[in-house]
Amino acid sequence: MDLGGLSEALAAGQQEERPWGAPGETNGVDGGGIGTGLVEDVYRRHGKSRQGESRRICAMLGAMVSALAQQNVEPKPAALFASLVLALEGIAKGKQGRDDASDASVVEKRSQDEAALLYLLEEAASRMPRQAVRTKFERSVGVVCGVLGAKGAVPSEASTSGASASRTQCAKFGVGCLASLLCAHDPRNFLPASKPFGVLLSFCVDPRPKVRKRAQAGLAQVLVTVGGVGSAGASLERASAMVRDLCERSVAQLVEVTEAFETSQRTGSKREARRRFEEGVQRATTRCFHVLGALRQCVAFLSPREALDILKTLDGLMEFREVLLAHHSAVVIGHFFQGHRVRDALGAEELASLLRGLTDRLLTIEELMADADVAGSTLNALLAGFHALAQMDSEACLAQVPSLLHRCLHYFRRKDSEAFRIKMCSVLAELIDACVDEGAVAGAAAAAEAGQAHPLLRVVAGVEAMVTVPYQDSWNQAFQLLGKLCFALGKKGGRLLSKSLAELGRIAAGDENEWTEAVQDCVGVAVRSLGPEAVLEAIPLNIEGAVTGGGEANSWLVYVLKKNVSGASLSFWARELLPEARRCGQLAASLGEQGDVERAVLVAALEHQLWQTLPSFCRWAEDAAEGFRLLAKPLGAALQNREDLRSHVCNAIALLVSQNARAAEEGDNVGDFGGGVGSDSGLSDDGNGVGAGEDEFDGGFPRPEGHTSEGAEEALRAVASYSKNYLPLLFNLFVSSRPSERGRVHAAIAAFGRVTGRDQLDGFYKNILKRMATSLQGVQQNQGDKGAKDAAAEQQGMLMDIAAALVPGLKPEALEKLLGIVNVSVVYKDPGIQKKSYKLLRAILSRSADLKSRSLEGVRESLSNAQSSCYAPAKKYRLLCVRAMVSILDEASADVADSDKQDAMTSLVTEIVMCTKEKNSKTHRAALDLLAETAHGFKGLRSAMGSPLMEPGPLGFINVVAGGLVAQHPHMVSATVVALTRLAYQFAREIGEEALCDIERAVAMLLKTKSREVVKSVLAFLSMFVTTLDAGRLHEELPSLVEHLLIWANDTKNRFRLKIRHILEKVIRVLGLDEVTKFIPEEHQPLIRYIRKQRGQEKRKREGGSVAGASVKTGRTRGKQTTWTYAEDDDDEGGAGEGTLAGRTQARTARTSRTAASGSAVRKRQRMAPGGGLGSGEDPSDLLDSRNAARMGSAHFASRDEFGDDDDGPINTIRTRKKDGKLIIKDDRYESTGGDGGDGDENMDDSRSHRSGKSARSGKSGRTAGTARTARTNKTARTDRSIVRAKGTKKLEPFAYWPMDRKMLNRRAAKRKDAKKGLLGVVKSKANKKNRR
């Protein structure tokens, strides 16, 4: 190969060679090894491919490298570039010297070589420095253009439409190479590159898709490179002008051809002329589509002035009103607005004018907007333009939104523009978010008061028109848009939407309709955004007017307020809604006195609903202190006099205190913690705290930004100032209330106990403490009197609940005294007192920082002494106390080396572990959750010398729990395994695979014990282990795992064999059956054979739902079907001649070819049929219908003797009619009560899962097959059953069928016999009835 002139190129490449992209970008290639990286990359990409193109590229690259090696030149990009250019020139010279254009094989071979060289040339050029490429730009570009054969002209369709794949590939790579060379050219001197750029531009409309797409992508790359240099503005203008000329020529050609075509249509020219015109229109339209495809990629990088001219040209395409042209033109416009050069070159006024013109022009073509694609692309384009304008000037953007909305209003009234309405709604919502800010809202409010115009007011007017009756078809979009406006306007602009809200109230008035739910959701958004004041002003409740004047009350609004109010004014509720509730109560009483009971009940219900809104107004109330002062006396009166309102008042107090206390603790850091209450209450664990039931207030309302910590502290002080009035009242209410109603009162007491001063609370506490001691003595003294004992115990429990509510506000000295009483009461032999005692102890331990170490020591001793006497109802709360003690000891052991504390922690953890074996499900789950929580926060243990004994974190706690594996009692060992199962599963990632395998080895060794309780727990652990470990590590542990599992593989009790099989099946799903079989001994190979058999059956079921594919032929059943359902399958298939062997074979083949989905669907339809197998519809078959009778006789009940069974001989379950017209059903397989066939499935399954112990292997099972057949033969006369008895007229009685019974598939003969008793109860003839009488 001639490599002359290579030295010059190599000299240019001696500088630092790096890819010319972003500065410092290496594209995965190291600096000095760029050439080597190029060769390696090409071989890595194409070396293993078998395609001829890839192999040719590798061969050409090898030739280039070999040629360079002969010249002692390293194959760097510069050297490869020069050699590739020389090779292309040599091919071009050889082409000129030969006259072989007519030889197709030679031309194809040359095109393949040129394609490979062009691909390598593009790769080399992209890895060279730009300066090195520029030195060879003219020569290399000339070579590439010569190979393309374009010479600056657009390739004609004749020369490209019949091009072979090799020529297309050559053109594709040539265009890519040309784009790479143009990207390397100096953008400040565009003149030398204008001709190659024109060639590239011409290929953007090439009819070959691959070539065209590569040219369009290269065009975008070149424009990005040219526009990226600050001083290359003139070059960008020239390149953009060339793109604009191409666009104008294409559109002008289409206009010209269209006009000529229309002229020919009017003049009525000949058919041939018309055909030529149609072909010309098609070519011009196709060319326009190609131009639009190129503009989509490059319009954002063009010069803005030239791009505006292109947009004007595209506006002419809209005149054709052709859907695809309009859609692609709109997409191009959208890409133009998304470009960054629009904001740099155009001012806000100019862009606003452009958008206004496009809006007026595009949205008036109604036939185009009816198309979903055109409407979507057009609106997306306008949205992009409005976003660009909003970033430049939000006020100018807002000024254009009303015209857009009003231009589109008439589309919201049309029923054929649903897609446009939905898209327009989303566009307007985004524009409202982008343009409407606090300044715009303030300006609109001021303009509304002064009676002046404002763009936002025009938007509001447009949305207001959309919620009227003429726009009913678009109300869903109108409600969404109105909700977005509510969010944007906020409380400052609530009055602007009063008319729209009033219209919503008129829509929701009266009976429920299809819009009721949507209206309520929209009003709920308004309540959250605008506040309840604005909503109630626009939609008044009108309760009194409805009662006295006969109007319609907006009672539905009360429910909306309850669910959506947050951050509102509590004073507003006191001034407006409280008087309304009182009036409702008075009206209800008046109506009751007048005898109008029905209306009285309705008005009383409204009163309750108004009171239910009180907790909602307390949720993050903006004036909680002022509002509570106004409501203190009315709320106290309601608590004392209205039992039906106590729950609402207590909810409000608890919610008010809970949220403000958290806000005061958090400070001014606005968080997302919710407004739920009752978490600090001791009764919250019962589920009857304040947060239960219909009055639950979820955490879906975050803390408002205006809710400050100072305001929260002021609210708490306001509530605390009324503690002396409320606490005695709440104490009396708690004692006098029913147990089911004490939860909310308890929450209110806890709320006041949280905010009341300790000195003030001390007096209440002493009184309670005195009464607790008295009641405790009463319990001890009245052991013989059951009634007195129960009353004293109930009083003691109530006092403990009250004390638990007051614990957060008590002094440390009071806590010590209270703790002394609790240490005594936890050992009482009364479940109720124990439960309350542990609740109180848990509340006290939450303030462990205020307790002395001696007191904590006493608590630990009390818990240890009371362990054996704890009743089941109290175990859950005892666990919570144990968890609190573990946390306290964990904190202390992290700082102090105390072996006694470590021993105490171990004993407490042991108790939690033992609770995992509790039968009570709540206690069991609580123990597991506490173990996980303790492991998560474990801080480690230290030895007596201060060195770490157990590392912190889950692994250290697991080591503590694992000590129970060496316990003496099997129950403790089993509980430890259960605890380790939960911990290992939850913290598998934290502890790592190595620690998990260590735990598995220790646990698996327990399978050698004889305790079935321990083995059961170990098998559960191993089932978790094989699903948690990854495949690689599981394969390493497989030998030992299988060895331990097979110890109990022959045991038939406790389902051990079944559980072991399930574990092995999980392993097989991960590692494969063959891999697991290697480690199974020969004596356990039947287990593997059974699993293999089951997997084969499942595979056949998945592949097809046929008789042959879905089941294994046994004498019992076939999958989940019987011969009855097979008959129905045959009929559903509609196959002809299924009564014959050939017909049934055809039907079975068709069913086998079905997919699993279709097979399962057929079986589901069969199970859903009322008759089980004979009825395919909702109604039973009419047997008087001759067609049904014929079908039953031929297709359903044809003889199946041909389908023999491997084990029990031929299946002869259904026969045809006898001479007297009877249909005989005979099933010999189910008549045998002794033998059970010896199915392999039964051998491997646990015997208890299918057969009782008496019938599993009785003495009758040993009969020979011949004896069994003889017994069945003797019973033939008794097994004949008549489904339909014939009358004298030989007609069938109507609606006679035998419903299927699942017991027919049971393995027990007795149950099958019970299922077949239904045959005797089928419709009988009158003659038989008379005979029986």
Side-chain angles (χ1 to χ4, degrees):
M1 180 179 294
D2 184 14
L3 296 180
L6 187 61
S7 58
E8 183 180 352
L10 292 176
Q14 293 300 319
Q15 53 185 303
E16 180 186 2
E17 295 184 352
R18 63 173 179 82
W20 33 264
E25 185 181 351
T26 62
N27 292 340
V29 183
D30 297 333
I34 290 180
T36 307
L38 169 60
V39 176
E40 291 178 351
D41 287 346
V42 172
Y43 277 118
R44 188 185 305 114
R45 202 176 309 159
H46 300 279
K48 296 182 180 180
S49 177
R50 295 183 178 181
Q51 295 183 359
E53 171 192 343
S54 298
R55 298 177 67 178
R56 198 170 296 108
I57 290 174
C58 294
M60 193 65 67
L61 179 61
M64 295 292 108
V65 173
S66 300
L68 291 173
Q70 293 176 3
Q71 301 290 333
N72 295 325
V73 178
E74 185 179 355
K76 288 188 175 182
L80 288 172
F81 182 87
S83 60
L84 290 168
V85 171
L86 292 174
L88 287 171
E89 289 178 346
I91 292 177
K93 292 179 181 179
K95 188 191 309 182
Q96 294 175 359
R98 296 179 183 177
D99 189 12
D100 52 5
S102 59
D103 192 347
S105 61
V106 175
V107 173
E108 184 176 1
K109 178 65 170 59
R110 185 185 302 120
S111 298
Q112 292 174 353
D113 294 341
E114 290 174 341
L117 292 172
L118 289 171
Y119 174 83
L120 294 174
L121 183 63
E122 179 183 1
E123 290 291 326
S126 62
R127 296 169 183 265
M128 289 175 60
R130 290 190 177 184
Q131 189 61 36
V133 178
R134 290 171 187 172
T135 58
K136 290 291 183 179
F137 177 77
E138 294 184 2
R139 184 176 180 181
S140 58
V141 164
V143 171
V144 173
C145 290
V147 172
L148 290 174
K151 302 300 182 181
V154 180
S156 63
E157 186 177 1
S159 62
T160 56
S161 59
S164 64
S166 59
R167 297 180 62 186
T168 302
Q169 201 73 17
C170 179
K172 173 187 172 182
F173 291 145
V175 167
C177 182
L178 183 60
S180 299
L181 295 175
L182 288 172
C183 289
H185 182 65
D186 187 4
R188 291 181 292 269
N189 184 19
F190 187 73
L191 185 59
S194 58
K195 189 174 181 179
F197 184 79
V199 174
L200 178 64
L201 197 59
S202 66
F203 276 96
C204 291
V205 293
D206 193 275
R208 292 168 293 185
K210 293 183 178 180
V211 178
R212 182 176 63 253
K213 291 180 180 179
R214 185 64 186 90
Q216 292 173 358
L219 176 64
Q221 296 174 2
V222 173
L223 290 174
V224 169
T225 305
V226 173
V229 181
S231 58
S235 299
L236 181 61
E237 290 288 343
R238 295 191 188 96
S240 302
M242 296 178 68
V243 177
R244 180 205 62 200
D245 293 341
L246 176 64
C247 179
E248 290 178 351
R249 288 196 307 269
S250 301
V251 175
Q253 181 182 356
L254 178 61
V255 172
E256 180 182 354
V257 174
T258 305
E259 292 176 352
F261 177 70
E262 293 175 352
T263 304
S264 67
Q265 292 284 359
R266 289 193 300 268
T267 58
S269 59
K270 295 182 180 180
R271 180 179 301 177
E272 183 64 25
R274 186 180 296 110
R275 186 184 62 80
R276 288 196 299 269
F277 278 124
E278 290 176 354
E279 293 177 354
V281 169
Q282 184 178 3
R283 285 195 300 270
T285 305
T286 304
R287 183 182 178 86
C288 285
F289 280 129
H290 296 339
V291 172
L292 291 174
L295 290 176
R296 176 186 295 186
Q297 300 192 40
C298 70
V299 69
F301 312 117
L302 296 175
S303 171
R305 298 301 171 187
E306 302 297 337
L308 288 176
D309 293 338
I310 292 176
L311 294 187
K312 295 177 182 178
T313 304
L314 295 181
D315 190 28
L317 290 178
M318 296 295 181
E319 295 291 340
F320 294 96
R321 299 177 184 253
E322 206 280 329
V323 172
L324 288 177
L325 285 176
H327 168 65
H328 290 287
S329 299
V331 171
V332 172
I333 296 173
H335 282 278
F336 167 74
F337 285 125
Q338 292 173 2
H340 66 280
R341 290 173 181 164
V342 177
R343 295 185 295 272
D344 299 338
L346 300 180
E349 295 182 1
E350 189 175 1
L351 183 56
S353 176
L354 176 61
L355 287 173
R356 185 164 52 250
L358 288 174
T359 302
D360 296 340
R361 176 66 179 152
L362 298 180
L363 298 182
T364 55
I365 309 176
E366 297 187 3
E367 54 267 35
L368 290 180
M369 294 301 106
D371 185 82
D373 293 334
V374 177
S377 57
T378 302
L379 292 175
N380 283 332
L382 294 176
L383 179 61
F386 277 103
H387 274 305
L389 182 58
Q391 293 178 2
M392 299 169 63
D393 188 351
S394 60
E395 293 183 1
C397 180
L398 180 60
Q400 301 300 320
V401 174
S403 61
L404 176 64
L405 174 59
H406 289 280
R407 282 285 181 186
C408 299
L409 273 181
H410 69 283
Y411 289 105
F412 286 92
R413 300 180 63 175
R414 295 176 51 173
K415 295 184 178 181
D416 60 343
S417 58
E418 183 178 2
F420 181 87
R421 295 198 304 264
I422 295 174
K423 183 61 181 179
M424 187 64 198
C425 180
S426 64
V427 168
L428 290 173
E430 290 192 35
L431 292 181
I432 289 172
D433 284 338
C435 303
V436 179
D437 52 12
E438 293 183 359
V441 174
E449 293 180 359
Q452 299 176 356
H454 192 275
L456 187 55
L457 295 179
R458 294 180 59 194
V459 174
V460 170
V463 176
E464 179 183 339
M466 292 173 61
V467 295
T468 55
V469 175
Y471 297 88
Q472 185 173 356
D473 292 332
S474 61
W475 272 357
N476 285 327
Q477 291 78 33
F479 295 155
Q480 296 176 11
L481 200 55
L482 184 57
K484 179 63 68 175
L485 264 180
C486 291
F487 275 119
L489 295 179
K491 294 185 178 180
K492 294 182 180 180
R495 294 182 179 273
L496 301 179
L497 297 174
S498 57
K499 293 183 180 180
S500 301
L501 294 176
E503 191 65 32
L504 288 180
R506 285 190 285 271
I507 296 174
D511 298 334
E512 290 189 4
N513 51 59
E514 57 178 322
W515 307 107
T516 299
E517 185 177 356
V519 170
Q520 291 183 2
D521 292 341
C522 186
V523 175
V525 173
V527 169
R528 292 193 179 201
S529 306
L530 308 180
E533 298 91 342
V535 175
L536 288 173
E537 182 180 356
I539 313 174
L541 293 175
N542 195 27
I543 297 175
E544 186 175 2
V547 174
T548 58
E552 185 72 28
N554 293 317
S555 57
W556 57 271
L557 189 56
V558 180
Y559 175 78
V560 175
L561 292 174
K562 174 187 172 183
K563 291 298 182 182
N564 295 280
V565 170
S566 178
S569 171
L570 188 57
S571 303
F572 174 79
W573 193 92
R575 292 192 306 267
E576 300 294 336
L577 296 184
L578 178 59
E580 190 75 25
R582 288 174 175 174
R583 286 193 293 270
C584 287
Q586 295 171 2
L587 286 172
S590 176
L591 291 173
E593 293 175 358
Q594 297 174 9
D596 193 351
V597 180
E598 183 178 356
R599 297 176 68 193
V601 171
L602 292 177
V603 176
L606 283 176
E607 179 193 11
H608 278 275
Q609 292 175 7
L610 287 172
W611 274 97
Q612 287 177 1
T613 61
L614 175 60
S616 300
F617 277 85
C618 291
R619 185 190 294 128
W620 301 119
E622 61 183 6
D623 57 348
E626 180 184 355
F628 188 80
R629 293 189 183 97
L630 292 175
L631 290 172
K633 293 182 179 180
L635 295 184
L639 283 173
Q640 188 170 6
N641 302 323
R642 297 289 300 275
E643 183 179 357
D644 55 338
L645 302 179
R646 287 175 186 170
S647 61
H648 311 317
V649 177
C650 291
N651 284 343
I653 294 174
L655 183 64
L656 187 68
V657 173
S658 175
Q659 288 187 338
N660 285 280
R662 294 184 184 183
E665 294 173 0
E666 292 286 336
D668 290 333
N669 297 325
V670 179
D672 288 339
F673 54 85
V677 295
S679 58
D680 298 324
S681 172
L683 293 182
S684 61
D685 300 302
D686 282 334
N688 26 330
V690 70
E694 64 176 1
D695 295 322
E696 182 179 0
F697 296 93
D698 56 87
F701 295 90
R703 177 183 172 187
E705 296 182 358
H707 198 281
T708 61
S709 58
E710 291 80 5
E713 293 173 356
E714 184 182 356
L716 295 177
R717 288 193 294 269
V719 175
S721 63
Y722 292 91
S723 298
K724 60 181 180 180
N725 307 103
Y726 272 90
L727 281 177
L729 175 60
L730 292 172
F731 290 160
N732 296 331
L733 292 177
F734 185 84
V735 173
S736 60
S737 299
R738 293 185 292 272
S740 60
E741 299 175 355
R742 290 174 184 166
R744 293 177 174 83
V745 180
H746 184 275
I749 295 174
F752 276 103
R754 188 173 184 176
V755 299
T756 306
R758 293 186 176 182
D759 295 332
Q760 184 179 357
L761 199 62
D762 192 56
F764 297 106
Y765 156 74
K766 289 180 179 179
N767 185 22
I768 294 172
L769 191 64
K770 182 178 179 181
R771 296 177 65 180
M772 285 178 61
T774 305
S775 63
L776 205 56
Q777 293 176 0
V779 174
Q780 295 174 344
Q781 294 173 0
N782 297 312
Q783 295 292 332
D785 189 354
K786 187 176 184 303
K789 178 184 176 182
D790 292 343
E794 183 180 1
Q795 184 182 10
Q796 175 71 6
M798 289 189 296
L799 293 174
M800 285 185 174
D801 284 337
I802 295 175
L806 299 179
V807 162
L810 293 179
K811 294 181 179 180
E813 298 81 7
L815 290 178
E816 298 286 348
K817 296 179 181 179
L818 196 60
L819 194 58
I821 296 178
V822 173
N823 289 334
V824 177
S825 61
V826 293
V827 295
Y828 275 7
K829 297 181 179 180
D830 184 275
I833 292 181
Q834 275 193 8
K835 185 176 180 179
K836 303 291 184 180
S837 301
Y838 282 117
K839 284 184 182 180
L840 179 56
L841 179 59
R842 180 197 174 197
I844 295 174
L845 291 178
S846 64
R847 292 187 57 188
S848 59
D850 296 330
L851 297 175
K852 299 178 181 179
S853 58
R854 184 176 66 255
S855 300
L856 294 175
E857 198 68 36
V859 171
R860 190 165 68 247
E861 293 178 0
S862 299
L863 289 174
S864 177
N865 297 332
Q867 180 178 1
S868 59
S869 60
C870 182
Y871 290 93
K875 282 192 175 182
K876 175 183 176 182
Y877 300 97
R878 175 180 171 83
L879 276 179
L880 297 176
C881 297
V882 171
R883 170 68 182 94
M885 284 301 303
V886 170
S887 299
I888 294 170
L889 293 174
D890 194 13
E891 293 285 346
S893 62
D895 302 327
V896 181
D898 190 349
S899 59
D900 294 336
K901 291 182 179 180
Q902 296 169 10
D903 295 339
M905 176 181 289
T906 304
S907 64
L908 293 175
V909 172
T910 301
E911 182 176 353
I912 300 177
V913 170
M914 289 293 293
C915 287
T916 60
K917 298 289 291 184
E918 284 289 335
K919 294 183 179 179
N920 187 297
S921 60
K922 291 184 179 180
T923 305
H924 171 75
R925 289 195 299 267
L928 293 176
D929 294 340
L930 288 175
L931 282 172
E933 182 183 351
T934 306
H936 185 73
F938 186 65
K939 297 186 177 180
L941 293 176
R942 294 184 179 183
S943 64
M945 302 302 295
S947 58
L949 184 62
M950 293 293 179
E951 61 179 296
L955 184 58
F957 186 75
I958 288 175
N959 289 327
V960 174
V961 175
L965 295 177
V966 296
Q968 297 181 354
H969 200 284
H971 190 70
M972 179 60 194
V973 178
S974 176
T976 303
V977 175
V978 172
L980 289 175
T981 303
R982 168 64 182 269
L983 294 174
Y985 178 76
Q986 183 165 344
F987 300 103
R989 292 186 178 181
E990 288 82 350
I991 64 178
E993 291 185 351
E994 189 64 36
L996 187 62
C997 293
D998 292 340
I999 299 172
E1000 183 270 335
R1001 297 186 191 101
V1003 171
M1005 292 296 295
L1006 297 175
L1007 288 173
K1008 298 180 180 180
T1009 64
K1010 297 182 180 180
S1011 173
R1012 293 184 175 274
E1013 181 183 10
V1014 175
V1015 172
K1016 181 179 179 181
S1017 303
V1018 173
L1019 292 178
F1021 177 89
L1022 294 179
S1023 180
M1024 176 277 303
F1025 174 76
V1026 299
T1027 57
T1028 305
L1029 217 60
D1030 64 353
R1033 192 56 189 267
L1034 181 60
H1035 186 270
E1036 297 177 4
E1037 301 293 329
L1038 185 59
S1040 61
L1041 177 65
V1042 171
E1043 179 184 357
H1044 289 107
L1045 280 176
L1046 295 180
I1047 295 176
W1048 292 84
N1050 295 325
D1051 190 274
T1052 58
K1053 297 182 180 179
N1054 299 102
R1055 299 178 182 267
F1056 285 169
R1057 185 169 59 185
L1058 181 63
K1059 293 175 181 178
I1060 291 172
R1061 176 162 60 85
H1062 288 170
I1063 295 174
L1064 288 177
E1065 287 175 351
K1066 290 181 180 181
V1067 178
I1068 288 171
R1069 281 195 291 268
V1070 178
L1071 301 179
L1073 183 59
D1074 296 336
E1075 190 64 31
V1076 177
T1077 306
K1078 298 176 182 178
F1079 302 96
I1080 304 297
E1082 183 62 31
E1083 60 270 20
H1084 295 289
Q1085 284 298 322
L1087 174 64
I1088 297 299
R1089 287 195 291 271
Y1090 174 74
I1091 294 176
R1092 191 186 303 273
K1093 175 182 176 182
Q1094 290 295 101
R1095 289 169 63 87
Q1097 292 181 5
E1098 294 175 359
K1099 182 179 179 181
R1100 288 191 293 272
K1101 288 180 181 179
R1102 290 192 301 267
E1103 291 177 351
S1106 65
V1107 175
S1111 63
V1112 176
K1113 294 182 181 180
T1114 64
R1116 300 282 174 188
T1117 60
R1118 295 180 179 182
K1120 293 186 178 180
Q1121 294 182 336
T1122 64
T1123 41
W1124 304 88
T1125 54
Y1126 291 149
E1128 183 181 356
D1129 260 350
D1130 294 344
D1131 182 64
D1132 289 342
E1133 291 297 327
E1138 293 183 25
T1140 63
L1141 176 61
R1144 286 193 298 271
T1145 305
Q1146 280 185 342
R1148 185 167 53 184
T1149 305
R1151 288 193 299 270
T1152 306
S1153 62
R1154 285 181 173 184
T1155 61
S1158 62
S1160 62
V1162 170
R1163 291 192 293 273
K1164 184 176 181 181
R1165 290 197 299 270
Q1166 294 164 355
R1167 292 193 297 268
M1168 294 299 291
L1174 297 178
S1176 59
E1178 296 182 357
D1179 299 328
S1181 300
D1182 185 358
L1183 300 185
L1184 292 180
D1185 190 348
S1186 60
R1187 292 174 297 178
N1188 290 343
R1191 185 176 69 251
M1192 292 167 55
S1194 62
H1196 285 283
F1197 300 103
S1199 175
R1200 292 182 177 268
D1201 291 344
E1202 294 87 355
F1203 295 95
D1205 188 76
D1206 297 337
D1207 298 330
D1208 294 340
I1211 301 175
N1212 191 15
T1213 55
I1214 300 179
R1215 297 185 181 274
T1216 56
R1217 307 181 187 188
K1218 288 187 176 181
K1219 295 181 179 180
D1220 58 358
K1222 291 182 180 180
L1223 296 178
I1224 304 302
I1225 302 174
K1226 177 183 176 183
D1227 192 351
D1228 294 337
R1229 298 172 297 166
Y1230 297 125
E1231 291 302 323
S1232 176
T1233 58
D1236 53 7
D1239 192 1
D1241 295 357
E1242 288 185 17
N1243 293 336
M1244 297 313 303
D1245 283 343
D1246 190 357
S1247 60
R1248 290 179 56 189
S1249 63
H1250 299 295
R1251 304 185 299 271
S1252 64
K1254 294 182 180 180
S1255 63
R1257 294 294 178 188
S1258 62
K1260 296 181 181 180
S1261 301
R1263 295 184 301 173
T1264 63
T1267 306
R1269 285 194 294 270
T1270 303
R1272 287 196 295 270
T1273 305
N1274 294 333
K1275 294 181 180 180
T1276 301
R1278 290 181 293 156
T1279 58
D1280 290 348
R1281 294 293 184 265
S1282 174
I1283 262 193
V1284 181
R1285 299 181 183 273
K1287 294 186 177 181
T1289 59
K1290 300 295 183 180
K1291 291 185 178 180
L1292 300 176
E1293 295 187 14
F1295 307 119
Y1297 66 96
W1298 177 35
M1300 289 295 295
D1301 193 339
R1302 282 186 175 273
K1303 293 180 182 178
M1304 288 294 299
L1305 305 179
N1306 199 287
R1307 296 182 182 273
R1308 298 180 181 176
K1311 291 192 175 182
R1312 293 197 301 272
K1313 187 176 180 181
D1314 292 340
K1316 295 182 68 174
K1317 288 180 180 179
L1319 289 175
L1320 300 177
V1322 181
V1323 178
K1324 305 173 181 64
S1325 65
K1326 294 182 179 179
N1328 289 340
K1329 292 182 180 178
K1330 291 179 180 179
N1331 293 335
R1332 292 191 178 186
R1333 290 179 182 175

